[in-house]
Structure formats: structure tokens, C-alpha cells
Amino acid sequence: MVLAMLVPRVFGWDVHAESYPPLDSEWDPRLGPGTLPAVALAIVAVVYAPRLFAGASWPRVLGLALASGLAWLTSLATVDGWGGIGDVLGRDNEYLQTARSITDVSATLHEFIDRIPLASPDNWSTHVSAHPPGILLFFVLLARLGLGSGLAAGFVVLVTAATTPLAVLVTLRRLGAETAARRAAPFLVFGPAAVWSAVSADALFAACAGWGLCCLAVAATSTTGRRTATWALAAGVLLGYCVMLSYGLPLLGVLAVAVLLSARTARPLPWAVLGAVAVVLAFAAAGFAWWEAFPVLRQRYLGSIAMVRPAGYWVWGDLAAFAFSAGPLVGAGLAVSGQRLTATWRRAFADSDRTVAILTCAAAVTILLADLSFLSKAETERIWLPFAPWMLVGCSLLSSSWRRYGLGVQVGLAVVVQSLLYTRW
């Protein structure tokens, strides 16, 4: 993380990013209405959160995770006042402005691919063109429900983002790792990912992915065929919709396999595949074929600033940017998870440790594949949000002292980044 910030400055590399690569950010020290609440929550989190999550009943754990997550996201976002929640989604290159103008969804889907190229006379804005139409349709729905203002849509994103830790916690518990879930909870709820989650559409992707994998875990641990099929279909629909949200999210298949490996069953797989394929084919029938759109999008991407961003920097700078979002302790969690996973081949290990290690290492594989694809040069602090919580569960395997001091590092980094840098999300 330090090298990724220093190397461009020391060696004069132009990596074609904002002022403080690897983050898409500019130097902008400031205080705001959310500063004191954020600092107070950070202190409370370090002092009390591990104990509360360890000792509370399970329903209270989930309630505490949701309430504290909402408070943490809101306090960090409002360092910039209410504009910190409402302004981002109102920008020209975001989805909301385009969503407000759409009156015919069917026509939008049928012409979607034709409007991706920059040469198109009515080409989509940057973010709309870079994603399948699933996320645009979500904001169209918000606009039609009367939630089309930047502030209203921002709160929807914020609340949805706050549910992602719950999905991960429930997944771990269903897979027999409740103790690990309680230990991981403070890292899932509090941390620097909140800086980008509060107002980023990628946080919606993370929530959809989280609940899809959670449904898959419920299916894999259900005792009747009907429940397995029902929950697996729900998982497939959610994960299939993820494919309609971002071209990079088919990589969630790695995490889906990890969930099934942890549960030691493949029973839900046919139903989950059926649900996912049904979503993709439904979009194709409505006018948007993912497999036809991806090559067109790739051509626009290759003609963008990505072409001049040096791969020699971003192949590791992307990983550093992700570490700023997930938090520096994510590396320690991955190291321990790798060691535990290796140990299972030599001697028996607790199933809960095995589950955590599998999920953490699977998340690392997805990030490695995304990194080597070179389809995400820069901005991975938000683009890889769907993978971050699954890597953070590895922090539950760290010793108590590592977790205690590490949590302080995580929340401290969040406050520092939000207070000193303007991150655009």
C-alpha cells in the first residue's frame, strides 16, 4: 500500500490516475458533521464491538451488525455533509441521471448494446456503458418509486450496503462457523470499505452477491429436497442477476463453489445453475444478450484511458487499492487462511476453520483472476467490493491480540482516508 503511493511520486511515473494513486482520490483535508460521530464510533468499535458480538444472542448479533453498520456508513459519508450521500449518484457519469430519462424499458434493452460504443451518436455515459443493464434498471425502479433524487437513492444504497455483513454472517453460521462469524463481525461491519460502500453502486453488487451466496449456503445445509431446491433457485436468481450488474461478477462462481465445498455437497448446484441461467436468458429474450454485449464493451474499454494506464504498475497497484478498501489486515487474514488450508491436508482441523480458510482463499482467487484480466485498471477500491467481505472473514483466524489491534488499524484508516482524501465515492 505504501509503495503503491510512493513509487509513482518518487520515480515520476504517470499512471494516469488522480492525485493519490492507487486510489482514485485527491488531497482534501476537511472536517464535517460526520467527523466526530465517526471517531466516536471507531473508538466504541475497538473497545466494545468484539465483546458484544461474542456474547450477544444470535438475533442480537444480526441486529447490532445492521444498526452499527448503518451508523458507521452514515457517519463516514456525512463527513461531507448530506452531500456526501446525495451528490455522488447525481453526477453525469452515474446511473441515476440516465435512469430518470428512461420511459421505455423494452426499447432500452433492445438498443442497449448499440449505444455502448463511443462512436454511437447517443452513447451511454461511462458507468452505464461499462455495465450490463441490471443496475440501470434498478435505478429506473427507484426513480419510478419516487426515490429518484440523489439523496433518496443514496440512502437506498447505504441501507442496502449495511445488509452485506449480515449475509456473510448468516452464511458462516449456516456452514457451522458461528464462532468465526462472531469474531469476523467487527471487521465486516467496521472498516475502510464503508468509505466506498455508502454511495457506490458497487456496494449494491456486493449486497446482491452476499445474499446470493447466503441463499446457496442455506440450500446446501437444508435437510429436505424441497427446501434445497427453493433456496438454491433463489441463490441462482440473485447470482444470475449479479451477472447482469457487472461483467466481472461471473467470478462469483469461484465463491459459490467454495460455499458448496465448505458444506461438502453439490445438491444445490443444478437448481442454482437453473436459476442463474434463467435470469441471463430472460434478459436475452427482453433484448439484451450478455455474450453479445461483452465484446462490444471490451472494445470501448480498450479505447479508454485504460489503454494508457501502465500494466506494470496497476497489476500490483490494483491489489494495493483493494487493500485500502478492505483494510491492511486483510493480508494477515489471507496468510493465516492459507496456512490453515494447507494444514488440513496434513492433519484434522476444526471444520469452522476449514470453512473460513476456503472462503477467504476463494475470494483471493477471484481477485487474482480479476487482476490478471486487466479489465480493472484503477478504482478497484470500489470495483472489488463484492469480494472484500469474503476475504475479511479470514481475520477471524487471527489471534485475539492481532484482532484487537488490527481492528484499531482498520477503523483508523477509514477515518483518515475519509478525512484527508476526496475519494469521489
Side-chain angles (χ1 to χ4, degrees), residues 402-419:
W402 267 84
R403 294 198 306 274
R404 182 170 63 253
Y405 294 112
L407 183 59
V409 172
Q410 297 282 99
V411 297
L413 178 65
V415 174
V416 168
V417 167
Q418 181 67 354
S419 299

Side-chain angles (χ1 to χ4, degrees), residues 227-244:
R227 285 178 59 83
T228 296
T230 301
W231 283 103
L233 279 171
V237 169
L238 287 171
L239 294 174
Y241 200 77
C242 283
V243 175
M244 293 296 108

